[in-house]
Amino acid sequence: MIKPPKSKIAIALYVVGFLFACGFAVALYQFNQLPGDTREGTMAKISVLRTVRNTGFTAITILVFGHVVQMIADIRWKLFEGGSNA
C-alpha cells in the first residue's frame, strides 16, 4: 500500500513548533541562571517564568495542531486519492 504524502502545512507547523520548543528551552535555562535573592532578581525570574509558560504552551499547541492537520490530510488522501484501487 502506498503511504499518503506529508502535508506541507503540517511540516511547516512542526518546524515552527520546534522553534518555539527551542525558545522554551532557552527561557528555561535563563530562568535557572537568574539570581532570585533580590527584589529585582525575583521580578526578573517572574518575567522569565511567564515567558517559559507562554512558549511551552504555544509549542505544544502548534505541534498538536500540526499533527491534526496531518491526520486530516491522511484522511482526505485515503478517501479521495487512495481509494481508487478498491
Side-chain angles (χ1 to χ4, degrees), residues 59-72:
I60 290 171
T61 303
I62 290 174
L63 290 173
V64 167
F65 190 62
H67 187 68
V68 168
V69 167
Q70 183 60 46
M71 285 191 322
I72 291 171

Side-chain angles (χ1 to χ4, degrees), residues 13-14 16-25 52-66:
L13 287 172
Y14 291 147
V16 171
F18 178 74
L19 291 175
F20 271 100
C22 289
F24 169 77
V52 168
R53 182 189 65 201
N54 290 339
T55 55
F57 285 150
T58 304
I60 290 171
T61 303
I62 290 174
L63 290 173
V64 167
F65 190 62

Side-chain angles (χ1 to χ4, degrees), residues 18-76:
F18 178 74
L19 291 175
F20 271 100
C22 289
F24 169 77
V26 168
L28 194 61
Y29 175 77
Q30 289 295 330
F31 175 77
N32 193 26
Q33 295 299 317
L34 286 172
D37 55 350
T38 62
R39 184 180 190 287
E40 292 81 15
T42 304
M43 295 303 287
K45 272 198 161 198
I46 290 171
S47 176
V48 171
L49 191 60
R50 190 175 307 129
T51 304
V52 168
R53 182 189 65 201
N54 290 339
T55 55
F57 285 150
T58 304
I60 290 171
T61 303
I62 290 174
L63 290 173
V64 167
F65 190 62
H67 187 68
V68 168
V69 167
Q70 183 60 46
M71 285 191 322
I72 291 171
D74 291 347
I75 290 170
R76 282 191 63 224

